Amino acid sequence: MNKGLIHIYCGDGKGKTTAAVGLAIRCAGAGGRVMFFQFLKGNSSSERDIINRIDNIDVIDGIEDMKFIWDMNEKEKEKVCVQYRSIFNSMIKRAGEYDMIVFDEIIPAVQYDFVTESELISFLHNKPGTTEIVLTGRTPSRRLCGMADYITEMKKIKHPYDSGITARKGIEL
């Protein structure tokens, strides 16, 4: 790879994580090394199970049994904040080892201040020159959009959840 670019997959539609996983697999298939981390999710998603088996993809463990943000009290939120900032800082120290880094759901993590936007933007400004960065989440800020080279918006037209069908393993989980 020549110059590493910044990708954002955003919007209210399904497919942001799926697109990021597909790009990670493509990079690994071409011989690239990938770091993959999921904010605001536990360590048991189905995509983790398969990409953990791919030699060129390092899946970094997050917080086990992660609660939804609206189910956390203030003390739990503070603990998560400390954990995520520590994980983020350890990952960016290793960024030069990778051809691609996927920060799945980092956009809402920034919105909840689990990682500050200034920390993320500083990393993006100073990232290794050839490393591709993939960010996902519903509503990226204008500052993040201004830094991105690719922005793909997933738009929900219709979703089974609207009819009362909950998340299904292998499709949404």
Side-chain angles (χ1 to χ4, degrees):
M1 282 188 232
N2 295 330
K3 180 180 191 267
L5 303 178
I6 298 170
H7 307 245
I8 294 178
Y9 294 110
C10 60
D12 65 353
K14 181 179 170 358
K16 296 175 289 291
T17 297
T18 304
V21 167
L23 196 56
I25 290 169
R26 177 177 282 164
C27 181
R33 288 203 58 212
V34 179
M35 178 192 297
F36 184 92
F37 183 75
Q38 294 182 300
F39 290 88
L40 306 178
K41 297 179 179 179
N43 294 325
S44 61
S45 64
S46 298
E47 63 268 14
R48 289 176 60 93
D49 292 343
I50 194 68
I51 63 175
N52 252 329
R53 299 179 203 166
I54 301 171
D55 289 337
N56 291 14
I57 301 179
D58 292 339
V59 180
I60 308 300
D61 283 337
I63 299 170
E64 196 61 47
D65 300 322
M66 179 72 187
K67 288 183 176 181
F68 288 115
I69 186 77
W70 50 84
D71 290 332
M72 291 183 204
N73 61 39
E74 288 307 311
K75 188 173 183 175
E76 289 170 322
K77 289 177 188 175
E78 289 172 16
K79 182 179 178 185
V80 167
C81 181
V82 169
Q83 290 173 301
Y84 276 146
R85 287 185 183 176
S86 175
I87 293 167
F88 181 75
N89 286 324
S90 69
M91 287 188 296
I92 64 174
K93 287 178 185 171
R94 297 179 49 207
E97 301 172 25
Y98 295 93
D99 300 296
M100 177 180 287
I101 300 173
V102 175
F103 290 131
D104 186 38
E105 296 295 349
I106 195 167
I107 292 167
V110 165
Q111 291 164 339
Y112 292 122
D113 208 33
F114 292 148
V115 174
T116 69
E117 186 173 60
S118 61
E119 288 173 308
L120 177 56
I121 286 174
S122 175
F123 167 68
L124 294 174
H125 276 301
N126 298 300
K127 71 174 189 63
T130 60
T131 303
E132 296 279 314
I133 306 295
V134 181
L135 313 173
T136 72
R138 285 182 173 242
T139 54
S141 71
R142 287 183 183 193
R143 289 177 70 196
L144 287 175
C145 288
M147 297 184 75
D149 300 289
Y150 297 90
I151 300 175
T152 301
E153 181 179 15
M154 312 306 193
K155 182 177 178 185
K156 180 183 87 162
I157 305 298
K158 187 175 183 181
H159 194 288
Y161 184 79
D162 299 334
S163 302
I165 299 172
T166 58
R168 299 163 298 144
K169 186 168 180 72
I171 304 300
E172 292 90 11
L173 298 172

